[in-house]
């Protein structure tokens, strides 16, 4: 049942944004002015293609986010099962060991200055 | 419920086909990710039908492995691109530089 | 079956009407608040006290010319604002406004998407927020927008880590993901006057989540993406009229959803404000309305806090911003996690 | 039953777009939609936690990584009209179809036992508790794997930079 309600909610959200776009394209005036069609580069004529080379740090941030996010999200079942767990001591020590491994990775990332955005 | 079995093997085979046919490395990795999705779906279906619910934990491990595989794969692709300025499999034939 | 359909449509209508209805008010509060902080008047021409100014803006956005630049990628260019708005609306599906109530003998749940992983779903849906920005940056094929999109995405992504650490710390304390259970644990009082909110239990996690919210919704002092002085207007540079308004709405709704999450975890969600029990005891039927009112008051105070911070802090430099995210907040989040686990362990033993 | 068919149709359409779309960015965004529809299928099957994890990790982190790489490696100016040798195409589709046929046959023979779906999903709390007590060792090995992946990515991605600084 929740799936049906979520599907209805999703469809209504999509139609809402589509309707808003539709109204504005109907009401807005149409003018094929040449100047408006160009790339906006604060008045200067654009130089080179838009997708030029970017710094590797953006990519490294996304990768490290993925790996640390996997580790933190799989703490969630831990949190849910932890409160009523019969042998909580094993789970607690297991958690400390898990965090040790996570901290080793984190310290390596910080020391390797991979994410150090120079001034 | 049983249509999902056919869906999961279809996803797996489609991913396999894509990995073979695709020309550049990133699309191959994309199709590999598609195969991972198909396999994970199959795990859940078997855990549902046999009642052995621990198989759903196996999906947790496949997710971890696929996350690591994508991360390392993409950094290799980036390193390759910085060296050879191309990621098309036809241009990357020479092993030694 | 008919009853279920009516219930779904009613719930969707209420959950969509609240933020969309509140949007003009928020824009007005933002303008007047900024003016108030900077000792000027703010919009007061249109209508009494300038209250009709937001409506005038909406009409302006409707009637402006729909510029479709020639160099953009056509399909993704129009798809980006739709994606941004839909993804911003999705987390609202899991946020309940009042406790489940008994009507016609059936217990009606207020949220559209009832599951015992409510808060985790809302958080996962807000994690998809960076797609609208990436799509817009890439589709408008413009150096400024591409750079703005990548910077905004890297910033949102790295602050999501500290958000998830504080979320997991709170779930360790409450023991379940269900929002109703969380709110039930936060009703009541310690020593008679202090409400049992999560904020007093976990101030560190609250600070982390608050900073994460500012970074996730690209609000000042974290708005590197559309920093006027840096890269002109960031990812929505090539957009005009209604498409720009959709990005604007998406940002505000994303902000509302995230502050609702913050309030559910740290300020007791729809639990009644201190003064409200007296009314609730006298008129039992009005409990649901009072609960919804308390949630709206809390979210409104959060929105004022956003506006207040926006006009009183300078913008971060990009490297300061990323260092704060990775080298300052994340270790605090991990340390907070370890302390919470030990605290919960010794509390039980 | 209608929801099953609808979800399967959506997933199949987006999966086909991933494999057979000309531009790689279109493939990346259709992969995102496939992962989201798979998350919806997980939710419909009753495994709520896995659907939330799938949305957060697969759709929320892995697909962002793909789009980031697309942006860093500007694929647009690569001429995509590399000659498509027909023989490879035919052989590949043939073998994959054979594999699909074999798997379909396997599933078709014992579809009765397979679709005996007893939705006896006990509370997830017990399931997770088992994850961290009986299956603790594989979980720790997966964490060490993540650690290895972190070290590998940092070294590989920033390897080129040091070489450049030396020149």
């Amino acid at each position: 049942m929740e799936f049906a309600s979520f599907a209805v909610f999703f469809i209504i959200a999509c139609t809402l944004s589509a309707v808003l776009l539709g109204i504005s394209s109907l009401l807005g005036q149409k003018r094929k002015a040449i100047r408006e069609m160009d790339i906006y580069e604060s008045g200067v004529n654009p130089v080179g293609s838009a997708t030029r080379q970017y710094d590797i740090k953006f990519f490294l941030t996304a990768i490290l986010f993925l790996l640390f996010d996997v580790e933190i999200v799989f703490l969630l079942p831990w949190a849910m099962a932890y409160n009523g767990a019969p042998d909580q001591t094993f789970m607690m020590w297991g958690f400390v060991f898990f965090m040790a491994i996570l901290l080793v990775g984190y310290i390596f990332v910080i020391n390797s200055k991979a994410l150090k955005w120079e001034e | 419920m049983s249509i999902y079995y056919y869906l999961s093997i279809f996803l797996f085979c489609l991913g396999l086909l894509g990995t073979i046919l695709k020309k550049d490395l990133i699309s191959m990795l994309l199709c590999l990710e598609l195969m991972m999705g198909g396999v994970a779906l199959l795990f859940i279906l078997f855990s549902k039908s046999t009642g052995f619910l621990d198989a759903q934990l196996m999906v947790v491990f496949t997710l971890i492995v696929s996350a690591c595989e994508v991360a390392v794969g993409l950094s290799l692709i980036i390193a390759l691109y910085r060296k050879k300025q191309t990621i098309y499999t036809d241009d990357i034939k020479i092993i030694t530089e | 079956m008919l009853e279920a359909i009516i219930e779904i449509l009613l719930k969707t209508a209420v959950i969509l009407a609240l933020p969309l209805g509140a949007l003009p008010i928020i824009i007005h509060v933002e303008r007047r608040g900024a003016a108030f902080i900077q000792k000027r008047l703010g919009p007061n021409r249109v209508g009494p006290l300038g209250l009709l100014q937001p409506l005038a803006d909406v009409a302006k956005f409707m009637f402006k010319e729909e510029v479709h630049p020639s160099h953009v990628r056509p399909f993704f260019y129009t798809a980006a604002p739709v994606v941004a708005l839909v993804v911003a609306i999705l987390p609202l599906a899991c946020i309940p406004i009042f406790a489940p109530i008994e009507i016609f003998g059936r217990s009606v749940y207020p949220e559209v998407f009832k599951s015992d992983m409510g808060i985790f779903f809302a958080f996962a849906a807000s994690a998809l927020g960076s797609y609208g920005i990436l799509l817009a940056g890439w589709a408008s094929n413009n150096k400024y927008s591409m750079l703005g999109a990548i910077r905004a995405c890297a910033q949102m992504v790295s602050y999501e880590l500290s958000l998830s650490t504080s979320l997991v710390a709170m779930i360790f304390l409450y023991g379940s993901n269900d929002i109703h259970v969380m709110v039930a644990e936060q009703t009541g009082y310690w020593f008679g006057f202090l409400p049992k909110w999560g904020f007093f239990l976990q101030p560190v996690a609250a600070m982390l989540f608050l900073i994460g919210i500012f970074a996730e919704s690209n609000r000042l002092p974290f708005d590197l993406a559309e920093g006027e002085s840096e890269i002109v207007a960031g990812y929505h540079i090539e957009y005009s009229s209604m498409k720009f308004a959709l990005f604007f709405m998406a940002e505000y709704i994303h902000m509302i959803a995230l502050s609702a999450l913050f309030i559910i975890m740290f300020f007791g969600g729809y639990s009644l404000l201190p003064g409200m029990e007296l009314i609730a005891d006298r008129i039992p039927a009005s409990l649901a309305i009072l609960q919804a009112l308390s949630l709206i008051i809390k979210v409104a105070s959060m929105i004022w806090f956003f506006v207040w911070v926006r006009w009183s802090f300078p913008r971060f430099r990009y490297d300061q911003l990323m260092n704060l995210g990775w080298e300052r907040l994340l270790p605090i989040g991990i340390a907070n996690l370890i302390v919470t686990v030990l605290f919960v362990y010794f509390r039980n033993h | 039953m209608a929801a099953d068919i609808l979800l399967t149709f959506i997933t199949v359409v987006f999966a086909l777009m991933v494999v057979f779309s000309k531009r790689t960015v279109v493939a990346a965004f259709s992969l995102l939609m496939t992962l989201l529809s798979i998350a919806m299928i997980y939710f419909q099957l009753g495994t709520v936690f896995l659907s939330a994890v799938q949305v957060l990790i697969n759709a929320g982190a892995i697909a962002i990584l793909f789009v980031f790489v697309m942006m860093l490696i500007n694929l647009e100016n690569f001429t995509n009209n590399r000659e498509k040798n027909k023989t490879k195409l035919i052989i590949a589709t043939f073998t994959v179809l054979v594999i699909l046929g074999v798997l379909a046959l396997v599933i078709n023979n014992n579809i009765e036992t397979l679709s005996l779906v007893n939705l006896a999903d006990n509370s997830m709390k017990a399931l997770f508790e088992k994850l961290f007590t009986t299956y603790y060792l594989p979980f720790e090995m997966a964490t060490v794997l993540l650690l290895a992946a972190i070290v590998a990515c940092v070294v590989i991605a920033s390897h080129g930079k040091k070489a450049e600084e030396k020149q």
Side-chain angles (χ1 to χ4, degrees), chain A residues 2 5 9 24 29 31 36-37 40 47 50-51 54 61 65 72 76 82-83 88-89 102 106 117 119, chain C residues 12 65-66 68 112 114 120 141-143 146 157 165 175 238 242 319 322 326 331 334 341 345 348:
Chain A
E2 297 88 19
S5 49
F9 186 81
S24 99
Q29 42 156 319
R31 231 170 359 97
E36 272 166 19
M37 290 304 155
Y40 176 77
V47 172
T51 55
Y54 285 98
T61 325
F65 159 69
I72 289 176
L76 209 65
Y82 186 70
N83 255 342
Q88 220 171 10
T89 42
L102 192 134
Y106 181 71
W117 298 79
E119 271 68 39
Chain C
T12 331
E65 185 206 350
E66 193 64 36
H68 202 90
V112 170
K114 184 190 80 57
F120 191 39
N141 209 353
N142 168 324
K143 274 195 271 304
M146 185 72 98
V157 147
T165 43
E238 293 279 354
M242 203 53 205
D319 58 326
M322 294 305 272
W326 283 95
I334 293 174
V341 166
Y345 176 68
N348 292 4

Side-chain angles (χ1 to χ4, degrees), chain D residues 91-145:
Chain D
I91 295 170
T93 39
F94 179 69
T95 47
V96 166
L97 280 179
V98 163
I99 297 169
L100 191 63
V102 166
L103 288 176
L105 267 178
V106 164
I107 288 189
N108 235 337
N109 292 350
N110 36 38
I111 192 69
E112 305 78 23
T113 53
L114 279 180
S115 62
L116 258 172
V117 175
N118 45 17
L119 287 177
D121 45 0
N122 46 13
S123 88
M124 280 184 289
K125 220 177 199 339
L127 195 66
F128 294 147
E129 218 252 305
K130 198 183 283 188
L131 173 65
F132 297 105
T133 42
T134 43
Y135 300 112
Y136 182 68
L137 184 62
F139 190 76
E140 280 316 304
M141 284 200 288
T143 331
V144 172
L145 176 72

Side-chain angles (χ1 to χ4, degrees), chain C residues 275-302:
Chain C
M276 280 191 180
E277 280 90 19
L278 315 174
I279 311 165
D281 304 342
R282 200 161 296 110
I283 318 160
S286 75
L287 186 63
I289 300 155
L290 283 178
Q291 284 174 337
L293 204 64
S294 86
L295 183 72
I296 289 167
I297 290 170
K298 291 176 189 171
V299 171
S301 55
M302 268 298 288

Side-chain angles (χ1 to χ4, degrees), chain C residues 162-179:
Chain C
S162 59
L163 271 177
S164 47
T165 43
S166 62
L167 182 90
V168 170
M170 289 316 284
I171 290 172
F172 260 112
L173 268 177
Y174 294 132
S176 107
N177 268 351
D178 193 349
I179 294 180

Side-chain angles (χ1 to χ4, degrees), chain A residues 3 6 51 53-54 58-60 62-63 66 71 73-74 77-78 80-81 86-87 90 94 97-98 101 105 109 112, chain D residues 7 40 49 56 61-62 65 68-69 72 74 125 128-129 132-133 136 139-140 143 146-147 150-151 153-154 157:
Chain A
F3 181 67
F6 185 74
T51 55
Q53 197 49 284
Y54 285 98
F58 294 125
F59 173 74
L60 203 57
I63 277 203
L66 165 63
E71 295 202 22
V73 158
F74 285 116
W78 214 301
M80 285 175 74
D87 51 357
F90 179 83
F97 185 60
F98 172 81
I101 295 178
V109 163
S112 71
Chain D
L7 277 175
M40 276 305 128
F49 173 70
L56 194 65
I62 290 181
L65 212 53
F68 252 63
V69 168
L72 282 181
N74 32 43
K125 220 177 199 339
F128 294 147
E129 218 252 305
F132 297 105
T133 42
Y136 182 68
F139 190 76
E140 280 316 304
T143 331
L146 275 169
L147 176 63
I150 290 172
V151 172
C153 292
V154 167

